[in-house]
Amino acid sequence: SYMAEVVVVRNKQVIFKDYINGFPKTSDMEVTYDAIIRLELPKNDGGLILTKNLYLSCDPYMRSRMSRSTEGSYVDSFTPGSPIIGYGVSRVLDSSLPNFKKGDLIWGLINWEEYSLIKDTSSLIKIQHIDVPLSYYTGILGMPGVTAYVGFYEICSPKKGDTVFVSAASGAVGQLVGQFAKLYRCYVVGSAGSKEKVDLLKNKFGFDEAFNYKEEQDLNAALKRYFPNGIDIYFENVGGKMLDEVLRNMRLHGRIAACGMITQYNLDQPEGIQNLFLIVTKSIRMEGFLVFDYYHLYPKFLEMILPLIHEGKITYVEDIVEGLENAPAALIGLYSGKNVGKQVVAIAHE
Amino acid sequence: SYMAEVVVVRNKQVIFKDYINGFPKTSDMEVTYDAIIRLELPKNDGGLILTKNLYLSCDPYMRSRMSRSTEGSYVDSFTPGSPIIGYGVSRVLDSSLPNFKKGDLIWGLINWEEYSLIKDTSSLIKIQHIDVPLSYYTGILGMPGVTAYVGFYEICSPKKGDTVFVSAASGAVGQLVGQFAKLYRCYVVGSAGSKEKVDLLKNKFGFDEAFNYKEEQDLNAALKRYFPNGIDIYFENVGGKMLDEVLRNMRLHGRIAACGMITQYNLDQPEGIQNLFLIVTKSIRMEGFLVFDYYHLYPKFLEMILPLIHEGKITYVEDIVEGLENAPAALIGLYSGKNVGKQVVAIAHE
Ligand SMILES: NC(=O)c1ccc[n+]([C@@H]2O[C@H](COP(=O)([O-])OP(=O)(O)OC[C@H]3O[C@@H](n4cnc5c(N)ncnc54)[C@H](OP(=O)(O)O)[C@@H]3O)[C@@H](O)[C@H]2O)c1
Ligand SMILES: NC(=O)c1ccc[n+]([C@@H]2O[C@H](COP(=O)([O-])OP(=O)(O)OC[C@H]3O[C@@H](n4cnc5c(N)ncnc54)[C@H](OP(=O)(O)O)[C@@H]3O)[C@@H](O)[C@H]2O)c1
């Protein structure tokens, strides 16, 4: 009888060490080379897929999973001693599940490791369009893309001519929100944390204006400079001081899509927002949302975004680091703005 | 020729002395007896009405008008040396305007004085239904009534069975919100500042539960006691600490109607709200509104509320003090919770 050659390999992993407080450090994770994996499905596995992982996504919300779950946690903690989990793009090497087959490409939640045996495939979506960079499925065609789409079109209630402000504007989500708003004929201003990012906003993503918030002594004055008549829509990615100053500059019946508040993720005690009474006096709607509730819109989203990409009407900037061993630094870099565009980790190029 | 006898009378007034900071005091207003008024329209007056003022409304927002207008002021300041202006009910003694005639009853913005000559009648609404106490047009059938109606039905997006929390629940607005929510088959809990008010909530207004927030060491624990599964709708009247604790107890997709934040009106520096990131993680919609934008719904509101009053399905508690000289104390009493129900000042009973 014919004996298939089964490859057994070391499986590089990024292990979450223990729950943390405050800013994450690379030493909160460990890159290990100890695990070994047989590149074959076990017999009678009850339904599994075996994947080779290609791209990992670094996303700000992952910080929450590094804290011990408490009242109000919206995601489960990572398990100390187990790999970090995040969005990624993988090739299916083998499958005993009917809806996946060898050779398929997928995106969804995967372990930070080279190869995975996956039992819970509920988050995995099969990739149908490969005439774009595969890494896009961590960004513009993945979770951040849907976030920008839902946040702008479903939450912001945009009207042509609206004035739109986007914080963390050059990031995975923000760069898309700004471009959507421009396509919608809004006036769009973004803030970001470096000259390089501000240049991208103005010259690559077509924002009408952009500024480096780190160089503004007075955020209120900066916002007044770009929005002399106020802000109709604020796409909120950062929270804290910026939110307080934006509230002062919102227009009557303004809308705030509360997408994230990255300035608060590493604080033990959140900063207080003082200008909230303006929500009453300006009839502002501030609305939070989680992209996870909107994945049913993914086909509709693809239908919209793919032609825009192909026609060059939407562009997307990624910041790709090579190698799983650089994933911890890439992840923590989000919280100091090291990433320029969508932060991706390439594990393997096929 | 026949000479009509024209009465000239002293016109008692409540004068706003000067812009204030901090808590208002009775001494910030002055009751004067110096002004005189001829109870007749001047010749060629260009369109005026002469009113005898019957009831005045004390409303929390009036505090804003006692501050010097600044960026973000949503109402104009009172004019130092001129009467306080507020909602009230008046009898038209004479009119040279086509849409008002002698004998009409009206409600709207009037000076705090016994008689008024009114040129700008844009805020005045003719009273058509007098089979209810006239004072109701300062409360349930006036501005606070429309506020409760709009806030609950238009902003809260209620569903049967929703859990509803109302702060300042026994007040002009709150007592109605709670009753609307009960009629809508919601579970309703209110907070108020005294045992007497809590008793009213439970025994007169039909709230399912009520508590005295001043006697709770731990607001979070109190809210958990009454909302073990969380709050779907928060009707926000107070802001500050209560809002922060409510955020911790909101359910996914909860709604906050931001009606007012009375705890903040007398502070020079607003308190910071710390738990705002929960708006993101719980997909909360927090929406402010101003009743002034919704007066077009007044006829529809009356159509709903009048039968409910006549059938005894809605009840309304007023706190009526007699005499213009007691108006300053009545107004400032709002900010320490002295009023039990809607605070009204009766100037004259016809
Ligand atoms: N609601 C949802 O379902 C959902 C889904 C995805 C993402 N989000 C949220 O959306 C926001 C953007 O996510 P993203 O993936 O697009 O990330 P990103 O913008 O690509 O990366 C994070 C960026 O945040 C900025 N930042 C980090 N720390 C900051 C601080 N202390 N103060 C100000 N800015 C800081 C940095 O940009 P600068 O250099 O410009 O400061 C950094 O590059 C995050 O708040 C995230 O949590 C929410
Ligand atoms: N958005 C709009 O268009 C609109 C229209 C009308 C009213 N409002 C707002 O709705 C809210 C209720 O107005 P209302 O006319 O019904 O007033 P109200 O409840 O009849 O009277 C004010 C009540 O607020 C409570 N209060 C006062 N100071 C407080 C403090 N420091 N902390 C906690 N509670 C305090 C007191 O009740 P306790 O004894 O229970 O503490 C007091 O009786 C106010 O915030 C008002 O500004 C908004």
Side-chain angles (χ1 to χ4, degrees), chain A residues 64 71-74 220 224 243 247-249 252-253 258-261 264-265 269-290 293-294, chain B residues 64 71-74 220 224 243 247-249 252-253 258-261 264-265 269-290 293-294:
Chain A
S64 310
E71 180 202 348
S73 302
Y74 66 112
N220 182 31
K224 290 219 163 12
L243 173 56
L247 282 166
R248 298 171 68 178
N249 287 282
L252 285 180
H253 302 287
C259 175
M261 299 189 179
Q264 308 297 300
Y265 297 174
Q269 190 70 5
E271 290 176 278
I273 300 297
Q274 295 199 304
N275 294 327
L276 225 50
F277 181 54
L278 294 173
I279 286 190
V280 178
T281 61
K282 296 181 177 185
S283 302
I284 292 168
R285 168 163 57 83
M286 177 167 184
E287 188 162 349
F289 68 100
L290 292 176
D293 288 337
Y294 292 88
Chain B
S64 310
E71 181 203 349
S73 301
Y74 66 113
N220 182 30
K224 290 218 162 12
L243 173 56
L247 282 166
R248 298 170 68 175
N249 287 281
L252 286 181
H253 302 287
C259 176
M261 300 189 178
Q264 308 297 300
Y265 296 175
Q269 189 69 5
E271 291 175 279
I273 300 298
Q274 295 200 303
N275 295 326
L276 225 51
F277 182 55
L278 294 173
I279 286 190
V280 178
T281 59
K282 296 180 176 184
S283 301
I284 291 168
R285 169 163 57 82
M286 178 167 184
E287 189 163 351
F289 68 100
L290 291 176
D293 287 338
Y294 291 89

Side-chain angles (χ1 to χ4, degrees), chain B residues 273-341:
Chain B
I273 300 298
Q274 295 200 303
N275 295 326
L276 225 51
F277 182 55
L278 294 173
I279 286 190
V280 178
T281 59
K282 296 180 176 184
S283 301
I284 291 168
R285 169 163 57 82
M286 178 167 184
E287 189 163 351
F289 68 100
L290 291 176
V291 63
F292 318 112
D293 287 338
Y294 291 89
Y295 281 145
H296 59 282
L297 297 180
Y298 188 63
K300 198 177 144 206
F301 165 67
L302 278 187
E303 215 170 277
M304 183 205 81
I305 195 94
L306 286 168
L308 292 174
I309 294 173
H310 290 131
E311 295 160 16
K313 290 188 179 149
I314 288 263
T315 180
Y316 201 63
V317 169
E318 302 176 306
D319 190 334
I320 305 189
V321 302
E322 295 290 330
L324 204 49
E325 46 291 338
N326 293 313
L331 177 58
I332 69 167
L334 292 176
Y335 307 103
S336 57
K338 285 228 171 61
N339 61 307
V340 178

Side-chain angles (χ1 to χ4, degrees), chain B residues 42-173:
Chain B
K43 303 272 173 268
N44 303 317
D45 59 18
L48 286 178
I49 62 174
L50 174 70
T51 62
K52 178 177 183 185
N53 303 324
L54 306 176
Y55 295 100
L56 299 179
S57 176
C58 295
D59 290 294
Y61 82 91
M62 296 170 74
R63 173 62 187 80
S64 310
R65 304 197 68 175
M66 302 177 83
S67 294
R68 192 187 291 274
S69 298
T70 54
E71 181 203 349
S73 301
Y74 66 113
V75 283
D76 293 330
S77 298
F78 293 134
T79 306
S82 293
I84 299 282
I85 301 166
Y87 281 95
V89 175
S90 306
R91 173 77 73 182
V92 176
L93 297 184
D94 205 351
S95 167
S96 57
L97 285 168
N99 43 341
F100 296 96
K101 60 175 200 305
K102 185 174 166 168
D104 280 352
L105 286 162
I106 54 163
W107 73 268
L109 289 171
I110 56 174
N111 285 351
W112 278 25
E113 58 194 2
E114 290 174 297
Y115 298 94
S116 300
L117 271 174
I118 304 178
K119 192 178 173 61
D120 176 6
T121 59
S122 56
S123 81
L124 304 183
I125 295 181
K126 222 186 285 190
I127 292 173
Q128 313 280 6
H129 304 272
I130 55 166
D131 51 354
V132 291
L134 262 187
S135 54
Y136 273 20
Y137 288 92
T138 66
I140 181 170
L141 297 178
M143 186 276 279
V146 184
T147 302
Y149 173 76
V150 164
F152 185 67
Y153 294 102
E154 304 285 321
I155 309 290
C156 289
S157 307
K159 294 188 309 296
K160 291 189 205 324
D162 274 352
T163 61
V164 177
F165 178 56
V166 186
S167 53
S170 72
V173 175

Side-chain angles (χ1 to χ4, degrees), chain A residues 59-61 143 147 168 171-174 192-193 197 213 237-238 259-263 265 289-291 334-337 339 341, chain B residues 280:
Chain A
D59 291 294
Y61 82 91
M143 186 276 278
T147 302
V173 176
K197 292 182 181 186
Y213 66 92
N237 285 321
V238 299
C259 175
M261 299 189 179
I262 194 168
T263 62
Y265 297 174
F289 68 100
L290 292 176
V291 63
L334 293 176
Y335 308 102
S336 57
N339 61 307
Chain B
V280 178

